[in-house]
Amino acid sequence: FAGYGFNKSHAAAYSLVAYQTAYLKCHHPAAFMAATLSSEMADTDKVQFFVFDAISYGLTFLPPDVNRSRHRFTPVDAKTIRYGLGAIKGTGESAIGAMQRAREGVNGKAGDFTDLFDFCKRIDKRVVNRRVIEALIRAGAFDSIDDQRARLMASVGIALEAAEQAERNALQVGLFDAGGGQDQPLKMVEVPPWSERERLLNEKQALGFFLSGHPYNEVRAELSAFVRRPLASLEPQKEPLLLAGIVTATRTQMTRRGKMIVVTLDDGTAQVEMTVYNEVFEAERAKIREDEPLIVEGKVSRDDFNGGLRVVADRLMTLAEARSRFAKALRVALNGKVSLGDTAAAERLRILLAPYRNGPCPVRVRYRNAQAECELPLGEAWRVRLDDELLVGLQQWLKAENVEVLYQ
């Protein structure tokens, strides 16, 4: 078959193309990768692959920008690429073309968009609808104008309504010559900003992957206390080891032993596929949740079939379970914010801890004022489960730096 399916003319043609593209990637890397990405914009998986390949090659990506980006990926210089708006889910070439024409002033004012209201006023709302604008916000395309994405999302409705009202007013002025009234100043809807995690999950919804950061960074410092090795440095070994990452994808397969699930873990250094066989999967399937951290105790071996690594899970843990297993204590520091004998503070602490009692982790209360400092261990009855909700509640009361999980 090799003589027929990969004959000399076929081999020669592919060798020539390989030589030409290798030359372009070496001498014109940004232009070559921008063209490659533009040709695959409809396939999120391929876009992600080529973006990561370009980054590993030393290239830098500028984020999508309603004032700078075009439909395609564009090279800025030899090592920099501007992200193409066409790779954002839910946009489309016609909508992006309408945005570019508005920037160029084809039907009126030219120049950069100054804010969301200016954008909605100038674009053609028949093509650039609410869904397109929200996709652009999620992807970070408005960050150069206003980096508060939650506020932008909350204000899309009133911005579109104000733009439509302005068009109706302009039409009436033209018909009846009533004179131009002063536009009322428009204000954004003020809402709490997105957390880093919310921002990245919305970004993934628009782009298909995390571009400006990684949700594992939120837990990296804590997990490094017991997960010693990043996914990029995994090596085959006989002993089980701990590994961790964010679940980015899953797929199931049927085998002779029953249902098997393949989980893709990503810790920002590498992506690793891990096999979870039926026995473990049936017992711990609820712990496998997309975009959530997962801690795995498993075996890493050489995969002779594909030459890579084979990871098989023996045990799965949520972040709360891993904390409870490896934590030495939970330390809560009051730092003089409450006075001795302050029963209200004691009651607040009791209310926060009570729903998580009868867990494995002891609690220590550190108190410090101008005269003295002490650390008081609570009784065995006040051992707690280290759920996220408990830590968030304590951090909101005492600030994050005063709530510390101590590891061995």
Side-chain angles (χ1 to χ4, degrees):
F1 174 78
Y4 168 76
F6 206 77
N7 51 59
K8 289 181 180 181
S9 64
H10 188 110
Y14 268 87
S15 298
L16 179 60
V17 172
Y19 180 87
Q20 292 168 335
T21 52
Y23 177 90
L24 291 171
K25 186 174 182 180
C26 178
H27 295 284
H28 307 280
F32 173 75
M33 291 306 300
T36 303
L37 282 159
S38 296
S39 69
E40 301 290 354
M41 282 195 301
D43 190 328
T44 300
D45 291 337
K46 288 187 177 181
V47 169
Q48 180 180 3
F49 173 82
F50 286 124
V51 166
F52 291 161
D53 178 65
I55 291 172
S56 69
Y57 196 67
L59 300 185
T60 301
F61 280 86
L62 298 177
D65 188 336
V66 292
N67 282 328
R68 298 288 175 268
S69 295
R70 307 184 75 81
H71 179 257
R72 297 166 62 87
F73 290 81
T74 51
V76 177
D77 56 40
K79 290 287 185 178
T80 309
I81 298 172
R82 172 70 70 179
Y83 206 92
L85 296 177
I88 298 174
K89 295 179 180 179
T91 53
E93 191 167 0
S94 59
I96 295 163
M99 288 166 46
Q100 288 183 213
R101 289 191 295 273
R103 281 194 324 225
E104 295 161 2
V106 172
N107 297 316
K109 177 183 174 183
D112 289 353
F113 302 111
T114 56
D115 56 29
L116 180 62
F117 296 106
D118 179 51
F119 178 88
C120 291
K121 188 175 181 180
R122 291 164 56 188
I123 50 92
D124 183 350
K125 286 167 282 298
R126 294 170 298 179
V127 233
V128 186
N129 55 29
R130 181 169 186 153
R131 182 175 61 90
V132 172
I133 298 171
E134 289 180 346
L136 292 168
I137 293 170
R138 288 191 177 96
F142 280 89
D143 283 5
S144 62
I145 299 172
D146 185 346
D147 62 0
Q148 294 298 319
R149 299 183 190 178
R151 180 169 62 192
L152 288 165
M153 285 290 285
S155 303
V156 171
I158 63 170
L160 285 170
E161 185 179 344
E164 290 167 359
Q165 183 62 47
E167 288 179 1
R168 289 194 292 268
N169 291 345
L171 181 61
Q172 283 197 342
V173 169
L175 286 173
F176 305 112
D177 197 22
Q182 293 296 320
D183 291 336
Q184 293 296 320
L186 299 170
K187 294 183 179 180
M188 305 287 283
V189 178
E190 293 299 333
V191 295
W194 283 339
S195 66
E196 177 76 2
R197 175 178 173 76
E198 287 177 308
R199 185 178 64 81
L200 289 170
L201 290 179
N202 275 280
E203 190 174 285
K204 182 183 178 184
Q205 184 179 339
L207 300 178
F209 62 99
F210 309 113
L211 179 66
S212 64
H214 200 285
Y216 189 79
N217 294 335
E218 189 177 21
V219 295
R220 187 185 303 278
E222 181 179 4
L223 290 178
S224 64
F226 47 89
V227 179
R228 308 293 185 186
R229 188 174 294 180
L231 296 179
S233 62
L234 290 182
E235 294 178 352
Q237 63 179 60
K238 294 181 180 179
E239 299 78 17
L241 57 77
L242 279 175
L243 54 142
I246 301 294
V247 177
T248 58
T250 60
R251 68 177 190 274
T252 57
Q253 297 178 0
M254 293 302 298
T255 69
R256 286 175 295 180
R257 295 168 58 179
K259 183 179 290 187
M260 175 187 82
I261 186 167
V262 179
V263 179
T264 302
L265 289 180
D266 185 346
D267 69 349
T269 67
Q271 290 189 347
V272 170
E273 285 195 342
M274 170 190 68
T275 303
V276 184
Y277 285 112
N278 184 61
E279 299 81 4
V280 178
F281 175 61
E282 290 298 329
E284 302 185 310
R285 65 165 69 200
K287 300 174 185 179
I288 304 172
R289 293 178 293 170
E290 191 164 341
D291 298 323
E292 294 289 337
L294 184 67
I295 295 86
V296 181
E297 189 175 301
K299 298 183 179 68
V300 180
S301 59
R302 181 74 61 190
D303 190 332
D304 295 329
F305 179 75
N306 61 20
L309 296 177
R310 185 168 180 264
V311 181
V312 178
D314 294 329
R315 181 181 179 185
L316 306 179
M317 289 177 280
T318 63
L319 181 55
E321 289 174 331
R323 284 194 191 111
S324 298
R325 177 178 173 182
F326 297 105
K328 178 181 177 183
L330 170 64
R331 179 191 287 158
V332 179
L334 301 183
N335 294 339
K337 290 185 178 295
V338 296
S339 59
L340 290 174
D342 187 344
T343 56
E347 178 65 13
R348 178 83 179 270
L349 182 61
R350 185 192 70 78
I351 291 172
L352 286 169
L353 295 179
Y356 308 96
R357 289 178 62 179
N358 302 317
C361 185
V363 179
R364 300 176 186 173
V365 179
R366 172 177 284 181
Y367 177 81
R368 184 179 74 239
N369 61 21
Q371 289 76 38
E373 178 180 344
C374 65
E375 188 165 299
L376 305 171
L378 300 187
E380 290 293 311
W382 285 95
R383 285 176 172 258
V384 295
R385 304 187 318 273
L386 295 177
D387 291 358
D388 288 339
E389 293 79 5
L390 170 61
L391 299 182
V392 168
L394 290 169
Q395 289 168 354
Q396 289 175 344
W397 177 37
L398 299 170
K399 294 186 179 180
E401 61 267 23
N402 295 327
V403 182
E404 184 179 7
V405 179
L406 305 177
Y407 293 97
Q408 299 287 349

PDB file of all heavy atoms in Angstrom, residues 279-308:
ATOM      1  N   GLU A 279     -14.353   0.792  37.620  1.00  0.00           N
ATOM      2  CA  GLU A 279     -14.506   0.673  39.066  1.00  0.00           C
ATOM      3  C   GLU A 279     -14.363   2.034  39.747  1.00  0.00           C
ATOM      4  O   GLU A 279     -15.162   2.407  40.613  1.00  0.00           O
ATOM      5  CB  GLU A 279     -13.459  -0.305  39.635  1.00  0.00           C
ATOM      6  CG  GLU A 279     -13.561  -1.722  39.093  1.00  0.00           C
ATOM      7  CD  GLU A 279     -12.896  -1.898  37.732  1.00  0.00           C
ATOM      8  OE1 GLU A 279     -12.282  -0.921  37.239  1.00  0.00           O
ATOM      9  OE2 GLU A 279     -13.017  -3.002  37.155  1.00  0.00           O
ATOM     10  N   VAL A 280     -13.343   2.792  39.355  1.00  0.00           N
ATOM     11  CA  VAL A 280     -13.111   4.116  39.945  1.00  0.00           C
ATOM     12  C   VAL A 280     -14.168   5.099  39.442  1.00  0.00           C
ATOM     13  O   VAL A 280     -14.693   5.919  40.216  1.00  0.00           O
ATOM     14  CB  VAL A 280     -11.692   4.622  39.604  1.00  0.00           C
ATOM     15  CG1 VAL A 280     -11.456   6.015  40.177  1.00  0.00           C
ATOM     16  CG2 VAL A 280     -10.645   3.651  40.126  1.00  0.00           C
ATOM     17  N   PHE A 281     -14.511   4.996  38.167  1.00  0.00           N
ATOM     18  CA  PHE A 281     -15.466   5.933  37.587  1.00  0.00           C
ATOM     19  C   PHE A 281     -16.836   5.822  38.254  1.00  0.00           C
ATOM     20  O   PHE A 281     -17.468   6.831  38.590  1.00  0.00           O
ATOM     21  CB  PHE A 281     -15.576   5.688  36.080  1.00  0.00           C
ATOM     22  CG  PHE A 281     -16.623   6.526  35.404  1.00  0.00           C
ATOM     23  CD1 PHE A 281     -16.546   7.908  35.417  1.00  0.00           C
ATOM     24  CD2 PHE A 281     -17.699   5.936  34.759  1.00  0.00           C
ATOM     25  CE1 PHE A 281     -17.511   8.694  34.797  1.00  0.00           C
ATOM     26  CE2 PHE A 281     -18.665   6.705  34.133  1.00  0.00           C
ATOM     27  CZ  PHE A 281     -18.572   8.089  34.158  1.00  0.00           C
ATOM     28  N   GLU A 282     -17.320   4.595  38.469  1.00  0.00           N
ATOM     29  CA  GLU A 282     -18.633   4.408  39.075  1.00  0.00           C
ATOM     30  C   GLU A 282     -18.670   4.935  40.499  1.00  0.00           C
ATOM     31  O   GLU A 282     -19.685   5.473  40.950  1.00  0.00           O
ATOM     32  CB  GLU A 282     -19.018   2.914  39.060  1.00  0.00           C
ATOM     33  CG  GLU A 282     -19.326   2.366  37.672  1.00  0.00           C
ATOM     34  CD  GLU A 282     -20.519   3.069  37.022  1.00  0.00           C
ATOM     35  OE1 GLU A 282     -21.430   3.507  37.753  1.00  0.00           O
ATOM     36  OE2 GLU A 282     -20.534   3.188  35.785  1.00  0.00           O
ATOM     37  N   ALA A 283     -17.559   4.819  41.210  1.00  0.00           N
ATOM     38  CA  ALA A 283     -17.532   5.264  42.604  1.00  0.00           C
ATOM     39  C   ALA A 283     -17.339   6.767  42.743  1.00  0.00           C
ATOM     40  O   ALA A 283     -17.811   7.364  43.714  1.00  0.00           O
ATOM     41  CB  ALA A 283     -16.414   4.524  43.352  1.00  0.00           C
ATOM     42  N   GLU A 284     -16.664   7.402  41.768  1.00  0.00           N
ATOM     43  CA  GLU A 284     -16.261   8.789  41.965  1.00  0.00           C
ATOM     44  C   GLU A 284     -16.595   9.699  40.778  1.00  0.00           C
ATOM     45  O   GLU A 284     -15.987  10.737  40.589  1.00  0.00           O
ATOM     46  CB  GLU A 284     -14.754   8.841  42.261  1.00  0.00           C
ATOM     47  CG  GLU A 284     -14.375   8.003  43.493  1.00  0.00           C
ATOM     48  CD  GLU A 284     -12.910   8.141  43.865  1.00  0.00           C
ATOM     49  OE1 GLU A 284     -12.059   7.981  42.965  1.00  0.00           O
ATOM     50  OE2 GLU A 284     -12.632   8.390  45.038  1.00  0.00           O
ATOM     51  N   ARG A 285     -17.584   9.316  39.991  1.00  0.00           N
ATOM     52  CA  ARG A 285     -17.921  10.080  38.785  1.00  0.00           C
ATOM     53  C   ARG A 285     -18.343  11.511  39.110  1.00  0.00           C
ATOM     54  O   ARG A 285     -18.125  12.425  38.310  1.00  0.00           O
ATOM     55  CB  ARG A 285     -19.010   9.386  37.985  1.00  0.00           C
ATOM     56  CG  ARG A 285     -20.352   9.313  38.696  1.00  0.00           C
ATOM     57  CD  ARG A 285     -21.469   8.946  37.730  1.00  0.00           C
ATOM     58  NE  ARG A 285     -21.343   7.569  37.264  1.00  0.00           N
ATOM     59  CZ  ARG A 285     -21.932   7.121  36.167  1.00  0.00           C
ATOM     60  NH1 ARG A 285     -22.657   7.947  35.429  1.00  0.00           N
ATOM     61  NH2 ARG A 285     -21.813   5.868  35.795  1.00  0.00           N
ATOM     62  N   ALA A 286     -18.961  11.738  40.277  1.00  0.00           N
ATOM     63  CA  ALA A 286     -19.449  13.077  40.614  1.00  0.00           C
ATOM     64  C   ALA A 286     -18.311  14.080  40.790  1.00  0.00           C
ATOM     65  O   ALA A 286     -18.537  15.295  40.743  1.00  0.00           O
ATOM     66  CB  ALA A 286     -20.291  13.019  41.885  1.00  0.00           C
ATOM     67  N   LYS A 287     -17.097  13.600  40.995  1.00  0.00           N
ATOM     68  CA  LYS A 287     -15.954  14.497  41.214  1.00  0.00           C
ATOM     69  C   LYS A 287     -15.367  15.023  39.906  1.00  0.00           C
ATOM     70  O   LYS A 287     -14.580  15.961  39.922  1.00  0.00           O
ATOM     71  CB  LYS A 287     -14.864  13.765  42.005  1.00  0.00           C
ATOM     72  CG  LYS A 287     -15.340  13.280  43.373  1.00  0.00           C
ATOM     73  CD  LYS A 287     -14.299  12.439  44.071  1.00  0.00           C
ATOM     74  CE  LYS A 287     -14.832  11.868  45.375  1.00  0.00           C
ATOM     75  NZ  LYS A 287     -13.831  11.013  46.052  1.00  0.00           N
ATOM     76  N   ILE A 288     -15.759  14.418  38.781  1.00  0.00           N
ATOM     77  CA  ILE A 288     -15.230  14.847  37.479  1.00  0.00           C
ATOM     78  C   ILE A 288     -16.169  15.892  36.905  1.00  0.00           C
ATOM     79  O   ILE A 288     -17.232  15.579  36.350  1.00  0.00           O
ATOM     80  CB  ILE A 288     -15.095  13.646  36.518  1.00  0.00           C
ATOM     81  CG1 ILE A 288     -14.230  12.553  37.142  1.00  0.00           C
ATOM     82  CG2 ILE A 288     -14.510  14.090  35.187  1.00  0.00           C
ATOM     83  CD1 ILE A 288     -14.192  11.263  36.349  1.00  0.00           C
ATOM     84  N   ARG A 289     -15.807  17.167  37.067  1.00  0.00           N
ATOM     85  CA  ARG A 289     -16.635  18.275  36.594  1.00  0.00           C
ATOM     86  C   ARG A 289     -15.787  19.204  35.734  1.00  0.00           C
ATOM     87  O   ARG A 289     -14.703  19.614  36.149  1.00  0.00           O
ATOM     88  CB  ARG A 289     -17.233  19.048  37.772  1.00  0.00           C
ATOM     89  CG  ARG A 289     -18.244  18.236  38.583  1.00  0.00           C
ATOM     90  CD  ARG A 289     -18.775  19.018  39.760  1.00  0.00           C
ATOM     91  NE  ARG A 289     -17.731  19.267  40.740  1.00  0.00           N
ATOM     92  CZ  ARG A 289     -17.858  20.078  41.780  1.00  0.00           C
ATOM     93  NH1 ARG A 289     -18.986  20.773  41.929  1.00  0.00           N
ATOM     94  NH2 ARG A 289     -16.876  20.244  42.633  1.00  0.00           N
ATOM     95  N   GLU A 290     -16.282  19.488  34.544  1.00  0.00           N
ATOM     96  CA  GLU A 290     -15.512  20.316  33.607  1.00  0.00           C
ATOM     97  C   GLU A 290     -15.241  21.698  34.195  1.00  0.00           C
ATOM     98  O   GLU A 290     -16.101  22.298  34.841  1.00  0.00           O
ATOM     99  CB  GLU A 290     -16.258  20.440  32.278  1.00  0.00           C
ATOM    100  CG  GLU A 290     -15.409  21.040  31.180  1.00  0.00           C
ATOM    101  CD  GLU A 290     -15.974  20.826  29.792  1.00  0.00           C
ATOM    102  OE1 GLU A 290     -16.818  19.925  29.628  1.00  0.00           O
ATOM    103  OE2 GLU A 290     -15.559  21.547  28.876  1.00  0.00           O
ATOM    104  N   ASP A 291     -14.010  22.182  33.974  1.00  0.00           N
ATOM    105  CA  ASP A 291     -13.525  23.486  34.431  1.00  0.00           C
ATOM    106  C   ASP A 291     -13.333  23.551  35.940  1.00  0.00           C
ATOM    107  O   ASP A 291     -13.164  24.641  36.501  1.00  0.00           O
ATOM    108  CB  ASP A 291     -14.448  24.630  33.976  1.00  0.00           C
ATOM    109  CG  ASP A 291     -14.515  24.744  32.458  1.00  0.00           C
ATOM    110  OD1 ASP A 291     -13.477  24.520  31.817  1.00  0.00           O
ATOM    111  OD2 ASP A 291     -15.600  25.027  31.927  1.00  0.00           O
ATOM    112  N   GLU A 292     -13.364  22.398  36.617  1.00  0.00           N
ATOM    113  CA  GLU A 292     -13.106  22.347  38.057  1.00  0.00           C
ATOM    114  C   GLU A 292     -11.790  21.617  38.300  1.00  0.00           C
ATOM    115  O   GLU A 292     -11.400  20.735  37.532  1.00  0.00           O
ATOM    116  CB  GLU A 292     -14.230  21.611  38.787  1.00  0.00           C
ATOM    117  CG  GLU A 292     -15.575  22.311  38.745  1.00  0.00           C
ATOM    118  CD  GLU A 292     -15.599  23.558  39.608  1.00  0.00           C
ATOM    119  OE1 GLU A 292     -14.773  23.663  40.549  1.00  0.00           O
ATOM    120  OE2 GLU A 292     -16.435  24.445  39.347  1.00  0.00           O
ATOM    121  N   PRO A 293     -11.058  21.979  39.385  1.00  0.00           N
ATOM    122  CA  PRO A 293      -9.810  21.267  39.683  1.00  0.00           C
ATOM    123  C   PRO A 293     -10.082  19.835  40.126  1.00  0.00           C
ATOM    124  O   PRO A 293     -11.093  19.557  40.777  1.00  0.00           O
ATOM    125  CB  PRO A 293      -9.190  22.098  40.820  1.00  0.00           C
ATOM    126  CG  PRO A 293     -10.309  22.871  41.410  1.00  0.00           C
ATOM    127  CD  PRO A 293     -11.308  23.086  40.324  1.00  0.00           C
ATOM    128  N   LEU A 294      -9.177  18.942  39.768  1.00  0.00           N
ATOM    129  CA  LEU A 294      -9.277  17.533  40.142  1.00  0.00           C
ATOM    130  C   LEU A 294      -7.895  17.058  40.572  1.00  0.00           C
ATOM    131  O   LEU A 294      -6.910  17.280  39.859  1.00  0.00           O
ATOM    132  CB  LEU A 294      -9.787  16.699  38.962  1.00  0.00           C
ATOM    133  CG  LEU A 294     -10.031  15.207  39.223  1.00  0.00           C
ATOM    134  CD1 LEU A 294     -11.193  15.023  40.204  1.00  0.00           C
ATOM    135  CD2 LEU A 294     -10.337  14.469  37.923  1.00  0.00           C
ATOM    136  N   ILE A 295      -7.834  16.424  41.738  1.00  0.00           N
ATOM    137  CA  ILE A 295      -6.569  15.877  42.239  1.00  0.00           C
ATOM    138  C   ILE A 295      -6.628  14.363  42.079  1.00  0.00           C
ATOM    139  O   ILE A 295      -7.636  13.730  42.429  1.00  0.00           O
ATOM    140  CB  ILE A 295      -6.334  16.270  43.719  1.00  0.00           C
ATOM    141  CG1 ILE A 295      -6.169  17.795  43.838  1.00  0.00           C
ATOM    142  CG2 ILE A 295      -5.084  15.604  44.245  1.00  0.00           C
ATOM    143  CD1 ILE A 295      -7.433  18.564  43.962  1.00  0.00           C
ATOM    144  N   VAL A 296      -5.574  13.799  41.530  1.00  0.00           N
ATOM    145  CA  VAL A 296      -5.570  12.384  41.124  1.00  0.00           C
ATOM    146  C   VAL A 296      -4.399  11.669  41.770  1.00  0.00           C
ATOM    147  O   VAL A 296      -3.268  12.163  41.767  1.00  0.00           O
ATOM    148  CB  VAL A 296      -5.465  12.251  39.591  1.00  0.00           C
ATOM    149  CG1 VAL A 296      -5.475  10.788  39.186  1.00  0.00           C
ATOM    150  CG2 VAL A 296      -6.581  13.026  38.906  1.00  0.00           C
ATOM    151  N   GLU A 297      -4.683  10.516  42.326  1.00  0.00           N
ATOM    152  CA  GLU A 297      -3.625   9.589  42.750  1.00  0.00           C
ATOM    153  C   GLU A 297      -3.615   8.462  41.729  1.00  0.00           C
ATOM    154  O   GLU A 297      -4.613   7.761  41.545  1.00  0.00           O
ATOM    155  CB  GLU A 297      -3.918   9.047  44.147  1.00  0.00           C
ATOM    156  CG  GLU A 297      -2.770   8.256  44.754  1.00  0.00           C
ATOM    157  CD  GLU A 297      -3.062   7.840  46.178  1.00  0.00           C
ATOM    158  OE1 GLU A 297      -3.296   8.720  47.021  1.00  0.00           O
ATOM    159  OE2 GLU A 297      -3.068   6.611  46.423  1.00  0.00           O
ATOM    160  N   GLY A 298      -2.517   8.322  41.026  1.00  0.00           N
ATOM    161  CA  GLY A 298      -2.498   7.355  39.941  1.00  0.00           C
ATOM    162  C   GLY A 298      -1.106   6.923  39.557  1.00  0.00           C
ATOM    163  O   GLY A 298      -0.118   7.275  40.211  1.00  0.00           O
ATOM    164  N   LYS A 299      -1.047   6.147  38.480  1.00  0.00           N
ATOM    165  CA  LYS A 299       0.226   5.599  38.001  1.00  0.00           C
ATOM    166  C   LYS A 299       0.532   6.177  36.620  1.00  0.00           C
ATOM    167  O   LYS A 299      -0.355   6.314  35.773  1.00  0.00           O
ATOM    168  CB  LYS A 299       0.171   4.076  37.934  1.00  0.00           C
ATOM    169  CG  LYS A 299      -0.058   3.393  39.284  1.00  0.00           C
ATOM    170  CD  LYS A 299      -0.027   1.886  39.127  1.00  0.00           C
ATOM    171  CE  LYS A 299      -0.230   1.180  40.466  1.00  0.00           C
ATOM    172  NZ  LYS A 299      -1.606   1.390  40.973  1.00  0.00           N
ATOM    173  N   VAL A 300       1.801   6.480  36.420  1.00  0.00           N
ATOM    174  CA  VAL A 300       2.270   7.003  35.137  1.00  0.00           C
ATOM    175  C   VAL A 300       3.245   5.992  34.553  1.00  0.00           C
ATOM    176  O   VAL A 300       4.229   5.620  35.193  1.00  0.00           O
ATOM    177  CB  VAL A 300       2.959   8.367  35.311  1.00  0.00           C
ATOM    178  CG1 VAL A 300       3.434   8.890  33.949  1.00  0.00           C
ATOM    179  CG2 VAL A 300       2.020   9.365  35.968  1.00  0.00           C
ATOM    180  N   SER A 301       2.972   5.559  33.337  1.00  0.00           N
ATOM    181  CA  SER A 301       3.842   4.576  32.675  1.00  0.00           C
ATOM    182  C   SER A 301       4.063   4.991  31.231  1.00  0.00           C
ATOM    183  O   SER A 301       3.405   5.897  30.714  1.00  0.00           O
ATOM    184  CB  SER A 301       3.212   3.181  32.746  1.00  0.00           C
ATOM    185  OG  SER A 301       1.940   3.175  32.134  1.00  0.00           O
ATOM    186  N   ARG A 302       4.972   4.306  30.578  1.00  0.00           N
ATOM    187  CA  ARG A 302       5.249   4.565  29.171  1.00  0.00           C
ATOM    188  C   ARG A 302       4.186   3.899  28.313  1.00  0.00           C
ATOM    189  O   ARG A 302       3.825   2.738  28.522  1.00  0.00           O
ATOM    190  CB  ARG A 302       6.633   4.020  28.804  1.00  0.00           C
ATOM    191  CG  ARG A 302       7.048   4.242  27.371  1.00  0.00           C
ATOM    192  CD  ARG A 302       7.410   5.679  27.105  1.00  0.00           C
ATOM    193  NE  ARG A 302       8.538   6.126  27.925  1.00  0.00           N
ATOM    194  CZ  ARG A 302       8.929   7.368  28.023  1.00  0.00           C
ATOM    195  NH1 ARG A 302       8.269   8.327  27.369  1.00  0.00           N
ATOM    196  NH2 ARG A 302       9.952   7.701  28.789  1.00  0.00           N
ATOM    197  N   ASP A 303       3.654   4.644  27.344  1.00  0.00           N
ATOM    198  CA  ASP A 303       2.695   4.085  26.395  1.00  0.00           C
ATOM    199  C   ASP A 303       3.460   3.673  25.142  1.00  0.00           C
ATOM    200  O   ASP A 303       3.868   4.506  24.336  1.00  0.00           O
ATOM    201  CB  ASP A 303       1.625   5.129  26.055  1.00  0.00           C
ATOM    202  CG  ASP A 303       0.462   4.536  25.269  1.00  0.00           C
ATOM    203  OD1 ASP A 303       0.686   3.547  24.545  1.00  0.00           O
ATOM    204  OD2 ASP A 303      -0.656   5.064  25.377  1.00  0.00           O
ATOM    205  N   ASP A 304       3.653   2.369  24.984  1.00  0.00           N
ATOM    206  CA  ASP A 304       4.440   1.873  23.850  1.00  0.00           C
ATOM    207  C   ASP A 304       3.725   2.061  22.523  1.00  0.00           C
ATOM    208  O   ASP A 304       4.360   2.052  21.464  1.00  0.00           O
ATOM    209  CB  ASP A 304       4.757   0.380  24.052  1.00  0.00           C
ATOM    210  CG  ASP A 304       5.662   0.149  25.255  1.00  0.00           C
ATOM    211  OD1 ASP A 304       6.485   1.043  25.554  1.00  0.00           O
ATOM    212  OD2 ASP A 304       5.528  -0.906  25.910  1.00  0.00           O
ATOM    213  N   PHE A 305       2.398   2.255  22.569  1.00  0.00           N
ATOM    214  CA  PHE A 305       1.651   2.384  21.322  1.00  0.00           C
ATOM    215  C   PHE A 305       1.920   3.730  20.651  1.00  0.00           C
ATOM    216  O   PHE A 305       2.177   3.803  19.455  1.00  0.00           O
ATOM    217  CB  PHE A 305       0.156   2.207  21.590  1.00  0.00           C
ATOM    218  CG  PHE A 305      -0.701   2.348  20.368  1.00  0.00           C
ATOM    219  CD1 PHE A 305      -0.752   1.331  19.417  1.00  0.00           C
ATOM    220  CD2 PHE A 305      -1.450   3.494  20.150  1.00  0.00           C
ATOM    221  CE1 PHE A 305      -1.542   1.467  18.286  1.00  0.00           C
ATOM    222  CE2 PHE A 305      -2.236   3.632  19.024  1.00  0.00           C
ATOM    223  CZ  PHE A 305      -2.283   2.606  18.095  1.00  0.00           C
ATOM    224  N   ASN A 306       1.862   4.831  21.454  1.00  0.00           N
ATOM    225  CA  ASN A 306       2.055   6.148  20.839  1.00  0.00           C
ATOM    226  C   ASN A 306       3.349   6.826  21.272  1.00  0.00           C
ATOM    227  O   ASN A 306       3.628   7.951  20.855  1.00  0.00           O
ATOM    228  CB  ASN A 306       0.859   7.062  21.153  1.00  0.00           C
ATOM    229  CG  ASN A 306       0.684   7.307  22.649  1.00  0.00           C
ATOM    230  OD1 ASN A 306       1.602   7.132  23.434  1.00  0.00           O
ATOM    231  ND2 ASN A 306      -0.512   7.718  23.029  1.00  0.00           N
ATOM    232  N   GLY A 307       4.134   6.160  22.098  1.00  0.00           N
ATOM    233  CA  GLY A 307       5.417   6.722  22.496  1.00  0.00           C
ATOM    234  C   GLY A 307       5.331   7.784  23.578  1.00  0.00           C
ATOM    235  O   GLY A 307       6.346   8.360  23.968  1.00  0.00           O
ATOM    236  N   GLY A 308       4.107   8.056  24.084  1.00  0.00           N
ATOM    237  CA  GLY A 308       3.944   9.065  25.128  1.00  0.00           C
ATOM    238  C   GLY A 308       3.797   8.446  26.499  1.00  0.00           C
ATOM    239  O   GLY A 308       4.379   7.400  26.795  1.00  0.00           O
TER     240      GLY A 308
END
